[in-house]
């Protein structure tokens, strides 16, 4: 297998290939043949899906300076080196299905980057400056179960997600409630988990808004029943018209704190960070 790999890379170097396919090679380390001498100066697209890589070399940009697309789907990459920010021509980077917990801020230096795929990792947050570039249009963060929000610069991008974060089957147990006038509104059982580090819950405001919306639309069908001083005007307006609905659990959504499946340029947030 090693000799076959070396031969494939050698042929690509001699014939100045622009595309190189190294998928399904059971690679545990980045092939040294790719980094020898002057590297593969003409290479534009490198496919290394379905291997067992754990990291990338620091001199990747030096040896493969003309990379436009890099596909690393389904590896075991934990850390992406800061040197990734030197791939100045990179337009598409696929790091889906790895073991990433952190994305280095240097990835924001990739000014040519248009597509960034980070689905199915262990990300908890994204670099604050990610999304500043006008070129970056598509960011996919599906199934990062610990990811609680997005940098504000991504609010005008198209972002994949796993829904709003609520379980599809909601427990019927009601633990907490509050009263407004003659009506008592029960909050979902998930509220009890707020503040517990290991439990994933929606923000209290989101849970409360959903409960209010469900209660008033199901039983009263008249939001005018609410006292003008019972909620801030902005929340009263949201009860009349939710920002959207989760594509997984179909619940209405009232706060923009989770990644959405649709372009946020089509929502009230569209005016933010246009540049």
């Amino acid at each position: 297998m090693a000799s076959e790999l070396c031969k494939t890379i050698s042929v690509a170097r001699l014939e100045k290939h622009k595309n190189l396919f190294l998928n399904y090679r059971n690679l545990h380390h980045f092939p040294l043949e790719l980094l020898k001498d002057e590297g593969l100066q003409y290479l534009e697209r490198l496919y290394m899906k379905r291997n067992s890589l754990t990291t990338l070399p620091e001199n990747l940009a030096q040896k493969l300076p003309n990379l436009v697309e890099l596909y690393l789907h389904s590896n075991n990459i934990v850390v992406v080196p800061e040197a990734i920010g030197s791939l100045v021509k990179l337009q598409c980077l696929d790091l889906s299905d790895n073991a990433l917990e952190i994305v280095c801020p240097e990835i924001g230096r990739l000014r040519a980057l248009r597509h960034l795929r980070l689905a199915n990792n262990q990300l908890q947050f994204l670099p604050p400056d990610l999304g500043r570039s006008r070129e970056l249009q598509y960011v996919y963060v599906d199934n990062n179960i610990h990811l609680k929000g997005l940098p504000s610069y991504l609010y005008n991008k198209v972002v994949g997600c796993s829904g709003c974060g609520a379980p599809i089957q909601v427990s019927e147990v009601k633990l907490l409630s509050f009263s407004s006038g003659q009506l008592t509104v029960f909050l979902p059982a998930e509220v009890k988990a707020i503040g517990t580090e290991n439990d994933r819950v929606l923000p209290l405001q989101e849970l409360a808004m959903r409960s209010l919306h469900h209660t008033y639309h199901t039983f009263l069908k008249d939001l005018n029943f609410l006292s003008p001083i019972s909620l801030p005007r902005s929340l009263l307006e949201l009860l009349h018209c939710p920002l959207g609905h989760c594509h997984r659990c179909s619940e209405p959504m009232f706060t923009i704190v989770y990644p959405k499946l649709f372009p946020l340029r089509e929502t009230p947030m569209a005016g933010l960070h246009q540049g």
Side-chain angles (χ1 to χ4, degrees):
M1 178 65 74
S3 59
E4 180 183 344
L5 176 65
C6 290
K7 181 179 179 181
T8 299
I9 296 175
S10 295
V11 170
R13 178 181 286 109
L14 290 173
E15 297 182 1
K16 300 179 180 179
H17 288 183
K18 292 187 176 182
N19 303 321
L20 180 58
F21 296 88
L22 299 179
N23 303 321
Y24 299 95
R25 298 284 186 138
N26 196 30
L27 298 174
H28 290 77
H29 304 284
F30 205 87
L32 293 178
E33 287 293 322
L34 279 174
L35 308 173
K36 278 186 177 180
D37 304 322
E38 295 183 357
L40 278 74
Q41 301 290 317
Y42 294 92
L43 195 65
E44 294 182 358
R45 296 171 187 84
L46 177 58
Y47 299 82
M48 300 185 73
K49 300 179 181 180
R50 302 283 179 180
N51 284 291
S52 299
L53 301 175
T54 57
T55 189
L56 300 175
E58 292 288 346
N59 60 345
L60 182 63
Q62 178 185 352
K63 298 299 183 179
L64 304 175
N66 290 304
L67 272 187
V68 174
E69 298 177 9
L70 178 58
Y71 298 95
L72 297 163
H73 186 286
S74 299
N75 279 277
N76 298 314
I77 298 173
V78 177
V79 177
V80 178
E82 297 177 1
I84 194 77
S86 299
L87 287 169
V88 295
K89 296 184 179 181
L90 198 65
Q91 297 180 14
C92 180
L93 176 60
D94 188 352
L95 288 163
S96 303
D97 287 279
N98 278 278
L100 291 175
E101 295 182 3
I102 297 175
V103 174
C104 61
E106 285 72 20
I107 205 167
R109 299 196 335 234
L110 298 174
R111 297 305 181 190
L113 192 65
R114 296 181 180 177
H115 299 258
L116 177 60
R117 298 181 179 271
L118 299 169
N120 296 304
N121 279 285
Q122 302 297 320
L123 295 173
Q124 299 183 33
F125 60 90
L126 295 172
D129 285 341
L130 186 63
R132 267 185 187 268
S133 171
R134 289 179 179 271
E135 294 299 324
L136 186 60
Q137 292 296 317
Y138 298 92
V139 180
Y140 299 90
V141 289
D142 310 59
N143 299 322
N144 283 274
I145 61 174
H146 302 296
L147 187 63
K148 293 181 171 59
L150 290 175
S152 58
Y153 290 104
L154 285 182
Y155 279 141
N156 285 321
K157 312 298 179 180
V158 179
V159 182
C161 73
S162 302
C164 67
I168 296 178
Q169 295 183 349
V170 180
S171 171
E172 293 297 325
V173 179
K174 309 297 182 184
L175 297 178
L176 300 176
S177 66
F178 67 92
S179 298
S180 175
Q182 304 175 18
L183 185 68
T184 297
V185 178
F186 292 92
L187 299 180
E190 290 90 343
V191 172
K192 70 174 183 176
I194 287 181
T196 303
E197 182 178 356
N198 296 324
D199 289 336
R200 289 181 290 125
V201 295
L202 287 164
L204 177 59
Q205 179 181 337
E206 180 71 31
L207 289 170
M209 291 292 290
R210 288 188 183 190
S211 293
L212 279 170
H213 185 270
H214 180 266
T215 299
Y216 283 99
H217 278 270
T218 302
F219 299 107
L220 300 175
K221 302 184 185 302
D222 183 11
L223 290 175
N224 293 324
F225 178 84
L226 275 170
S227 167
I229 62 172
S230 61
L231 285 175
R233 179 182 296 273
S234 59
L235 297 185
L236 281 172
E237 292 175 353
L238 278 177
L239 280 178
H240 283 276
C241 185
L243 292 172
H245 288 75
C246 175
H247 70 284
R248 291 183 69 244
C249 68
S250 298
E251 290 288 329
M253 298 187 70
F254 299 94
T255 60
I256 301 180
V257 293
Y258 283 89
K260 306 299 191 303
L261 190 65
F262 48 83
L264 291 182
R265 62 175 66 92
E266 298 174 5
T267 74
M269 295 294 287
L272 290 182
H273 301 298
Q274 288 289 356

